Amino acid sequence: MSYNDLLRESAKKAGNVVCMGLDPVLDTLPNESMNKTERITTFFDTLFSAMKKRGLSVAAFKPNLGFYQALDMPREKDFSGSVALSNVMDLIRSYFPETPIILDSKRGDIAKSSLNYAKEAFSSWQSDAVTVSPYMGSDSVLPFAFENKGVYVLNRTSNPGGAELQNRLAIDPIDEHTVYPLYIAVSHMISAWSDEHEGIGAVVGATNMTEFEDIAKYYADKDIPMLIPGVGSQGGSARDVLSVMRKCSYDVLLSRINSSSQLTHPWKKGPAPENWLDMCLDNIEKLTLEALIK
């Protein structure tokens, strides 16, 4: 099954286009007496089990590699974070076997180096998709274009500093009298790459709705998945995002609206409150209702 087909099928089965970010902050988690690996694994096992019991499902999961590998101490032969991520991915495959896993690692290098990062994401971690940076061009991005895998290229990101570079004006390479923001130029490149390699998509933040609408409109007649961070603690609205995509006639089933801390540790700082599980479940349910595909 192609990655785009996987996105459409998983959205239909979940009934929504929510992507659940899995970015554990150790100090916020319960079970303080456990070691790092046990604490993260137990937290997500408890949360996923409770989601199943409440009948909650999402359309993708997105662990950010840095949150896990920052807990490793390789020089001390301690790989607690990496083992925890492996356990979390096993849990996803067990509880939600048909739901795509997007490894958020934002890789970007050239030639064989990029290929090795691609093997890391798809062969070593066995993820369904990965996030990459476009700054070094096609020989950086295209090594990630594995068959039936997804590649989300940073397009217009949700962070405030994104405008410092992404909104700079660029000259059209064909018509030198035409200028547009760099994020539009990147959109053109993503479209060209996608024409040759199905599954190449875009990371487009929900915190800049004017730019989001520009990009959604451009992708509307193209088969380009969008990963949409910025909903929840960053201030973006799932309802607004869906409204814009429908207005632009973009295929909503190819989108994934991501929220991370708002779903996994909305209390922000530790220790976790006694009702932590209900807080997480309530926020997950709220977002899935806001991001219904019907």
Side-chain angles (χ1 to χ4, degrees), residues 76-105:
E76 299 174 16
K77 306 298 187 287
D78 176 357
F79 296 92
S80 302
S82 293
V83 173
L85 176 56
S86 178
N87 291 346
V88 170
M89 294 177 79
D90 285 344
L91 290 170
I92 294 170
R93 298 303 191 202
S94 175
Y95 284 109
F96 308 99
E98 297 175 320
T99 304
I101 299 175
I102 303 166
L103 185 66
D104 191 357
S105 56

Side-chain angles (χ1 to χ4, degrees), residues 26-247:
L26 207 59
D27 292 344
T28 69
L29 303 185
N31 302 310
E32 295 92 335
S33 62
M34 293 182 177
N35 65 39
K36 291 180 286 186
T37 302
E38 293 172 338
R39 197 170 175 186
I40 293 171
T41 304
T42 300
F43 173 79
F44 283 115
D45 193 8
T46 303
L47 181 54
F48 293 161
S49 175
M51 287 172 63
K52 292 289 284 188
K53 288 177 182 176
R54 195 186 277 201
L56 296 174
S57 58
V58 296
F61 291 95
K62 184 178 72 63
N64 186 302
L65 190 62
F67 279 81
Y68 297 87
Q69 291 192 333
L71 301 175
D72 290 345
M73 301 292 289
R75 300 290 292 168
E76 299 174 16
K77 306 298 187 287
D78 176 357
F79 296 92
S80 302
S82 293
V83 173
L85 176 56
S86 178
N87 291 346
V88 170
M89 294 177 79
D90 285 344
L91 290 170
I92 294 170
R93 298 303 191 202
S94 175
Y95 284 109
F96 308 99
E98 297 175 320
T99 304
I101 299 175
I102 303 166
L103 185 66
D104 191 357
S105 56
K106 299 182 178 70
R107 298 303 199 193
D109 211 310
I110 55 172
K112 290 183 179 179
S113 297
S114 261
L115 181 59
N116 282 325
Y117 282 129
K119 290 177 179 177
E120 173 200 35
F122 299 135
S123 299
S124 300
W125 286 111
Q126 299 174 21
S127 65
D128 298 296
V130 67
T131 57
V132 305
S133 170
Y135 195 74
M136 297 176 73
S138 59
D139 52 353
S140 175
V141 172
L142 294 184
F144 288 90
F146 279 37
E147 186 176 5
N148 298 329
K149 297 294 186 180
V151 183
Y152 289 99
V153 181
L154 301 180
N155 194 167
R156 179 60 179 94
T157 56
S158 60
N159 60 305
E164 295 171 7
L165 185 62
Q166 295 162 18
N167 283 38
R168 295 279 182 177
L169 293 181
I171 299 173
D172 187 278
I174 305 299
D175 179 3
E176 294 184 357
H177 298 289
T178 301
V179 296
Y180 36 60
L182 182 59
Y183 69 81
I184 293 295
V186 173
S187 300
H188 293 173
M189 293 302 303
I190 290 170
S191 177
W193 295 329
S194 176
D195 286 342
E196 300 296 326
H197 304 279
E198 182 180 356
I200 291 183
V203 179
V204 188
T207 52
N208 308 285
M209 292 308 294
T210 299
E211 289 118 335
F212 179 82
E213 184 169 347
D214 288 343
I215 295 171
K217 190 179 300 181
Y218 178 69
Y219 290 151
D221 61 349
K222 302 170 175 63
D223 212 30
I224 297 176
M226 284 199 295
L227 176 62
I228 307 163
V231 167
S233 60
Q234 291 188 56
S237 162
R239 286 196 176 97
D240 289 347
V241 166
L242 281 168
S243 176
V244 166
M245 287 192 292
R246 288 177 175 135
K247 172 185 171 184

